[in-house]
Amino acid sequence: MLALFKPVLFVCGVLAMSMAAFMLVPAVYSMAVDDHEAMAFFSGCGWSAGIGLVLLMSNRSRDFTLNARQLYLLTSLSWLMLSFFSALPLTLTDHPLTLTDAVFEAVSGITTTGSTVMSGLHDTPPSLLLWRSMLQWIGGIGVIGMAVSILPFLRVGGMRLFQTESSDWSDKSLPRFQHLARSLVAVYLGMTLLCTLSYWFAGMTAFDAINHAMTTVSTGGYATDDASMGRFDNTILWIATLFMMLGGMPFTIFIRLVSRPSLRVFRDDQIKGFVLIVIVLVGVLFLQQWLTTDREPFEILTQAAFNIVSVITTTGFASEDYTLWGSFAMALFFFVTFIGGCSGSTSGGMKIFRFQLSWLFLRDQMRKLVHPRGFFVVRYNRKPITDDIMGSAVAFSFLFFVVLTLTTLALAATGLDVLTSLTGAATALTNVGPGLGDIIGPAGNFASLPDSSKWILSLAMILGRLELLTLVVLLSPVFWRG
């Protein structure tokens, strides 16, 4: 058993030290603006670095390898650990959050969910706002790295459909992985910088531009004001819409685009499906609002496009309280919550490719009913779909709705109403952010929920971010007997 944990804890030590280093950024910024919160970050840095150092020194090994069981353990344990470390500064401020609220806020940040228990953000020390944004930005690059390197090796997630090379962690593949990691970081940094400049040129302050760029590209949704994006004009909303769309696409596509510029990279079936679904949903919502309200058409289009893209990419920004747009809009946004972006993006949700695979599977079954003796090959991205990929998609979908049901019932057992329980469970598992209703809707937050509800939602956010199976496998007896 010690052999199972030793390399995992070593990597966790590295991650703890990395998180400690990130805490120095808001600490230095706090000193620069004199918002009296520097000590909270220095203290959090000290605790994280100290624990990280202990893990590093006590688990060093010359032969460092990670097998599949250890990767499952590392993936789950690292996200749980980073969530608690990132909560430390929030409990040590001059106006500290409770442990429950701090963990909830940190989990929501690191998983790029965007649900919040904080209000009065315009009066919140800027270093704390910067830390919230940084958590989502860190979580975003972590999500991409996990999606393209670890989950495919564990046969979880969808990037196996889009890769031409193996994602194993053998010595032979290490240079390839290091090159991929550097390319992902470069693209992620470049997109964040471009988004920052776009916001700044459009009229945001430098502070708002930096914070919102980090939470836009990471499809996280944290803002620097309680009004979220509602205090900005249409130009900024369209910029946000564009970068949320980009954040919802596979980042490996952008690497290929940079290395070999060609628009043919966008012929990817997943991207085409993603763009088509967004266009249809925006068109439907625009038409419904245009026929039932007297607002200006361009204003309707802007609000419809921004909020649909925000929800489908699981960003969670809000420019208006769309629950006031009528029953049709509420129902539409509820179902859009489940879709999500592309595999290999910073988005959460069930992912576009699973819906596409389900449709291909359904179409194949209908053809077999008509032609029982026929032989049909199901293809995706011009490649045959193997049974294990199809089985993985079916297993995920089944597990998702089982966990959604259990989470909804657990929240209802804490005293929440049905709408809050159902949409709270959905928004946590899909990492969207706001739910529906007066309490956790776009105009509310999660502060008034019981502590027990917040812990349930925190676990659900991590479950959703790890694509469910990664964490659920740890709870199965076969994992510990293997």
Side-chain angles (χ1 to χ4, degrees), residues 293-316:
T293 67
D294 56 359
R295 302 175 68 178
E296 292 293 326
F298 183 71
E299 179 68 18
I300 295 175
L301 179 62
T302 300
Q303 296 295 333
F306 175 84
N307 286 286
I308 285 290
V309 171
S310 178
V311 173
I312 198 172
T313 61
T314 71
T315 306

Side-chain angles (χ1 to χ4, degrees), residues 417-432:
D417 61 86
V418 174
L419 180 62
T420 302
S421 299
L422 176 59
T423 61
T427 195
L429 289 171
T430 56
N431 303 123
V432 171

